[in-house]
Amino acid sequence: MTTCCIFGLGYIGLPTAAVLTRAGHRVIGVDINAQVVDTVNQGQIHIVEPDLDQAVADAVACGALSAQLTPVTADVFVIAVPTPFRSGIDGIPQPNTDYVLEVARAVAPVLQPGNLVLLESTSPVGTTEQVARVIEELSGLNTDQLNIAYCPERVLPGRILQELVSNDRVIGGLTPVAAEAGKAFYATFCKGELLTTSAYTAELVKLTENSFRDVNIAFANELSLVCDRLGINVRELIRLANHHPRVNVLQPGCGVGGHCIAVDPWFIAAEAPDCTPLIQTARRVNDGKSRWVIQQVQHRAAALEDQLDRPARIGCLGLAFKPDVDDLRESPALHITTELLVAGLEVLACEPNLHEHSTIKLHTLEQVLADADLLMFLVAHSPFRNLDLTGRKVFDLCGVSEPI
Ligand SMILES: NC(=O)c1ccc[n+]([C@@H]2O[C@H](COP(=O)([O-])OP(=O)(O)OC[C@H]3O[C@@H](n4cnc5c(N)ncnc54)[C@H](O)[C@@H]3O)[C@@H](O)[C@H]2O)c1
């Protein structure tokens, strides 16, 4: 049995911990948040992800999973802590690898020769090498004595437990031996293809995947503005265009959110600002779509106010960054709703995946349907499908009111 120490028990680390225990590993989860540690040790979870509650309850009950605040000796170390961005230089947000480097400092004292260290956090190119440098400075162990590799995550929230097992994975070693050691470890629980490369390439692979999606969505969002101008249904347009065997336009929305697609393209742009006009423009087009939505709603609210002779009540349906999750990180729906509240509009917000929000009063779907003058669908959550919207004023940014 291999002992694994996983740093960061969030959307990636906790499901990974559960999957590893199912594959027969002993897992110690390390998190700096004491509440997270307590919750996991009680066999419970603090995030919304299908079937994760049972997987964690089972793993804790049989003694295969426990959590703590500090690292312990182990065979394998997996780093899955946040990599957000911070305010930019020349308008380009910069990657923040502080959490990753903090883990490198914390793990160094417990490392032993032969250990495998895997960085899974989405990271700018060169981060794995930086981790190795910090570890060597503090422990004296170099990349011949430790196997250090980068292996990005590409799971889809809502299907994380399945995709952790079924997805193909890219494993970038700081040395070829480290890549092979990483491959052997992932082979214990992954059924997808395991592809080895250098750490630099693997880091850029992950950023490339998310930038590809961001650029494609920016194209769809740009088309949505053109279609609005020309009175054409953008979703019908894209559906028809995608019948071309070599065309695959993604769907427009109220912006682009999440801590991946809305963040990672900046990690490439920060690295090479002069070579990335397309990537940077895509980010700005997608952020601009949210500003366009805010302006549109303000116009529509003003027109309604004239008709009703009272302030219009705007139903903001969905706050999360994507359908059927509770994750609000970089959510354009949350940003739009907040901006409308700041602008003084009467907003009835509904997020069926959350019980409460610290600054926004939440309403049930029934309350919003009963009281709102304009229904603005921001996120295509399942409960928003198949509603009877006859006679209602609808501003659908996510296609949820249209037949699938
Ligand atoms: N969530 C996704 O769908 C997804 C997909 C692909 C890649 N990623 C990447 O995976 C990484 C982790 O993302 P996430 O969504 O799991 O984040 P998260 O915020 O859900 O969880 C991160 C956890 O790390 C903990 N943490 C922070 N600093 C720590 C430290 N020094 N030591 C131990 N724990 C620490 C936090 O308390 C938190 O519980 C990020 O780089 C993200 O970009 C996420």
Side-chain angles (χ1 to χ4, degrees), residues 66-374:
S66 59
Q68 54 190 61
L69 291 164
T70 49
V72 285
T73 54
D75 305 300
V76 180
F77 296 83
V78 178
I79 305 172
V81 296
T83 42
F85 53 25
R86 51 172 136 239
S87 61
I89 299 169
D90 293 335
I92 299 179
Q94 300 293 303
N96 175 356
T97 54
D98 289 356
Y99 299 93
V100 171
L101 297 179
E102 188 52 47
V103 172
R105 283 188 283 274
V107 78
V110 301
L111 287 175
Q112 296 166 330
N115 281 166
L116 175 61
V117 179
L118 297 162
L119 176 59
E120 290 198 355
S121 300
T122 304
S123 299
V125 174
T127 308
T128 314
E129 208 168 62
Q130 236 183 320
V131 165
R133 262 201 307 273
V134 170
I135 288 174
E136 186 171 355
E137 271 167 28
L138 297 176
S139 71
L141 295 170
N142 62 32
T143 50
D144 291 330
Q145 297 158 297
L146 296 169
N147 290 316
I148 304 181
Y150 178 71
C151 182
E153 256 318 331
R154 38 166 72 135
V155 288
L156 181 71
R159 283 184 44 81
I160 294 182
L161 288 178
Q162 293 98 306
E163 291 205 358
L164 274 173
V165 174
S166 63
N167 283 354
D168 294 347
R169 297 199 73 137
V170 177
I171 302 143
L174 283 182
T175 62
V177 175
E180 287 307 317
K183 183 175 176 177
F185 173 67
Y186 285 106
T188 64
F189 67 97
C190 289
K191 294 200 166 71
E193 203 176 335
L194 302 175
L195 306 144
T196 55
T197 181
S198 69
Y200 268 48
T201 305
E203 287 162 342
L204 192 56
V205 165
K206 171 67 188 173
L207 304 180
T208 299
E209 291 165 3
N210 285 343
S211 300
F212 168 81
R213 291 181 61 75
D214 199 46
V215 169
N216 195 324
I217 296 169
F219 179 59
N221 273 332
E222 194 163 286
L223 283 175
S224 73
L225 302 188
V226 173
C227 285
D228 182 75
R229 177 81 52 87
L230 301 181
I232 289 170
N233 179 326
V234 67
R235 286 174 200 278
E236 184 190 8
L237 172 88
I238 291 173
R239 200 163 50 241
L240 296 174
N242 282 350
H243 276 270
H244 184 294
R246 285 165 295 281
V247 170
N248 182 21
V249 182
L250 298 179
Q251 294 298 316
C254 63
V256 167
H259 55 295
C260 288
I261 299 181
V263 174
D264 301 350
W266 289 125
F267 289 13
I268 302 183
E271 211 68 59
D274 52 329
C275 313
T276 50
L278 179 65
I279 290 172
Q280 295 178 43
T281 302
R283 273 290 60 246
R284 296 192 175 106
V285 166
N286 286 331
D287 287 346
K289 181 69 186 286
S290 303
R291 287 194 295 278
W292 179 85
V293 171
I294 292 165
Q295 284 167 1
Q296 285 287 315
V297 177
Q298 286 175 322
H299 291 320
R300 291 177 193 216
L304 271 170
E305 183 164 348
D306 287 346
Q307 272 175 30
L308 300 168
D309 218 17
R310 61 161 172 80
R313 291 186 287 260
I314 311 299
C316 289
L317 291 147
L319 295 181
F321 86 82
K322 58 174 285 182
D324 297 329
V325 299
D326 67 336
D327 194 338
L328 299 176
R329 288 177 289 180
E330 311 298 331
S331 168
L334 177 64
H335 170 69
I336 289 165
T337 303
T338 305
E339 288 298 309
L340 294 177
L341 281 164
V342 169
L345 266 69
E346 265 197 42
V347 166
L348 302 173
C350 169
E351 176 41 75
N353 298 295
L354 287 178
H355 297 302
E356 57 182 3
H357 185 268
S358 54
T359 56
I360 297 175
K361 181 173 189 286
L362 297 185
H363 300 259
T364 64
L365 176 58
E366 291 69 29
Q367 284 168 336
V368 177
L369 289 174
D371 294 339
D373 302 305
L374 172 66

